[in-house]
Amino acid sequence: MSTPSPAAPPIRRLTPRDLTACADLSENRGWPREEHKWGLLLAAGTGYGIDDPEGGLVTACVVTEYGPRERPDLGAVGMVLVAERHARQGIGRRLMRHVVAEMGTTPLTLHATPSGRPLYEELGFKVTGRAEMVRGHFVHGGVEPKVFTRPATAEDLAAILRLDEEIFGVDRTHVITRLPAFSDQLRVAEENGRIIGYASAWPNVDNHVVGPLIARDTETAKALIASLAAHTDRLIRTDIDVRHEELLSWLKDRGLTSIAFNAVMTYGISELPGDWTRRFAPLTVAAG
C-alpha cells in the first residue's frame, strides 16, 4: 500500500454530524441527497472521509459491519463518492485502500456500478453476483399472491431477527432493529402463526424503496411487495438478485421497469453467506 504524502489530507471517521456534508457530496455528483439513508448508514455503520479545506468533503464512504462487534463476519461498503473537482486523482483508490486495511481480515461486499467496478477489481474484489434495479408505479391486478401478510408489531421483532440471521447468514440486529423507525412500512408474511418472510418500504426522494426483502419463496416475496405497494401512492423501487427471474418478470408485468444493473462483489470470500434463494433484495445496495 502506498503511503500518502505528508501534505495529503487525513482520512477520518465520519459521524452523524457529517450528514449534511455527505448529502452535499451526493448532490455534487448528481445523486439524490438521500439524507434519510445517510442518517441510517452513519448511525449503524462506520463512515470514512476526507475534509475539503474549502469546506465539505472531498470523499466519503460507509462500511456497515455485521456479526460480533469485536470480530465482524461481514462488512458492506457503500456510498463511495469523490467530489467532482477532485475526481480522477486517485482519491477514491486511496480511500478504498484505507478501508480494506482498516477492516483487516473481515470479508467485504459491495454493489458496484459499471464505472466503479474496475477500481474494485484492482483492489482484489471479485464479481459474485448481479442485481437489477427496477422502479415504477405498481399496478395491481391479475392473480394476486395468496400468502397472508400484515403489518409487523413489536412482538414480531424477535422472530424477524431469527429469520433474518438464518437467511442473510450473519447477525445484523443493530440494523434490523432500526427498521420500525426508518421505514414507513414494515410487514410480515405469516403461515399458521409462523413468520415466513418480511419486508420494509422506506422513503427515498420520490419513491419507496422495498428492502430488505426476505421470504420463504417467490410467492411470499410477491405477496409482501404487493401488500407494501397497496399502502403507498409513491413509485416503488427495489434491487433484485437477477437469479430471481420469476420475481423480476412479475414486477415488470406489474409496471416496474429496469433502471440499472450493479455487480455484487466480494473480498475475502468467494460468495456471500446465507441462503440466496430466500434473500430477494437488500435493505439498500449501500448496506447489503
Side-chain angles (χ1 to χ4, degrees):
M1 186 186 305
S2 61
T3 302
S5 68
I11 296 171
R12 69 171 176 87
R13 295 285 181 94
L14 303 179
T15 75
R17 291 190 298 275
D18 294 298
L19 189 153
T20 299
C22 289
D24 289 344
L25 185 59
S26 292
E27 193 170 51
N28 173 263
R29 292 316 305 256
W31 290 18
R33 291 183 63 83
E34 299 187 304
E35 293 180 354
H36 187 59
K37 182 169 75 173
W38 272 114
L40 173 72
L41 295 172
L42 290 170
T46 302
Y48 297 88
I50 297 175
D51 290 312
D52 189 330
E54 297 184 15
L57 292 168
V58 170
T59 184
C61 76
V62 181
V63 181
T64 309
E65 298 176 25
Y66 300 115
R69 181 182 296 272
E70 304 77 21
R71 190 170 182 176
D73 296 314
L74 183 69
V77 183
M79 307 302 282
V80 182
L81 287 164
V82 178
E84 178 63 36
R85 72 188 187 93
H86 296 280
R88 294 170 292 280
Q89 297 176 27
I91 293 172
R93 181 178 292 102
R94 179 188 162 204
L95 178 66
M96 282 301 302
R97 283 178 173 164
H98 178 85
V99 167
V100 170
E102 281 282 295
M103 297 303 294
T105 59
T106 300
L108 301 174
T109 183
L110 54 79
H111 283 63
T113 62
S115 61
R117 177 174 164 179
L119 168 61
Y120 303 128
E121 288 180 327
E122 177 187 323
L123 295 171
F125 284 80
K126 306 294 184 185
V127 175
T128 56
R130 202 159 171 248
E132 182 174 3
M133 180 190 295
V134 291
R135 184 178 65 189
H137 283 292
F138 186 92
V139 178
H140 294 272
V143 179
E144 295 293 333
K146 297 296 192 291
V147 180
F148 172 71
T149 71
R150 59 171 175 79
T153 68
E155 288 71 30
D156 295 321
L157 188 56
I160 289 173
L161 289 170
R162 286 194 298 270
L163 183 66
D164 187 81
E165 183 172 359
E166 175 189 341
I167 295 174
F168 191 77
V170 295
D171 177 23
R172 49 178 181 170
T173 296
H174 70 299
V175 172
I176 303 305
T177 51
R178 287 178 161 88
L179 285 181
F182 178 70
S183 306
D184 282 346
Q185 297 185 63
L186 178 61
R187 298 185 68 88
V188 296
E190 195 174 54
E191 181 181 79
N192 298 324
R194 183 172 65 92
I195 291 176
I196 58 173
Y198 82 94
S200 78
W202 51 272
N204 191 49
V205 194
D206 65 343
N207 56 67
H208 268 125
V209 177
V210 173
L213 176 55
I214 296 289
R216 179 183 64 184
D217 50 33
T218 301
E219 284 302 300
T220 304
K222 290 178 183 178
L224 285 164
I225 294 174
S227 64
L228 291 169
H231 294 85
T232 180
D233 56 4
R234 291 191 182 192
L235 292 164
I236 291 291
R237 197 188 92 200
T238 189
D239 298 85
I240 304 294
D241 186 318
V242 296
R243 291 172 290 187
H244 292 296
E245 297 177 2
E246 181 184 346
L247 181 62
L248 279 166
S249 178
W250 178 81
L251 286 168
K252 292 169 185 177
D253 288 342
R254 293 297 186 277
L256 278 65
T257 57
S258 181
I259 299 300
F261 289 91
N262 287 322
V264 180
M265 306 185 77
T266 58
Y267 179 94
I269 47 174
S270 59
E271 60 183 0
L272 289 173
D275 180 3
W276 75 265
T277 67
R278 295 183 288 165
R279 185 178 57 232
F280 289 85
L283 166 59
T284 163
V285 295

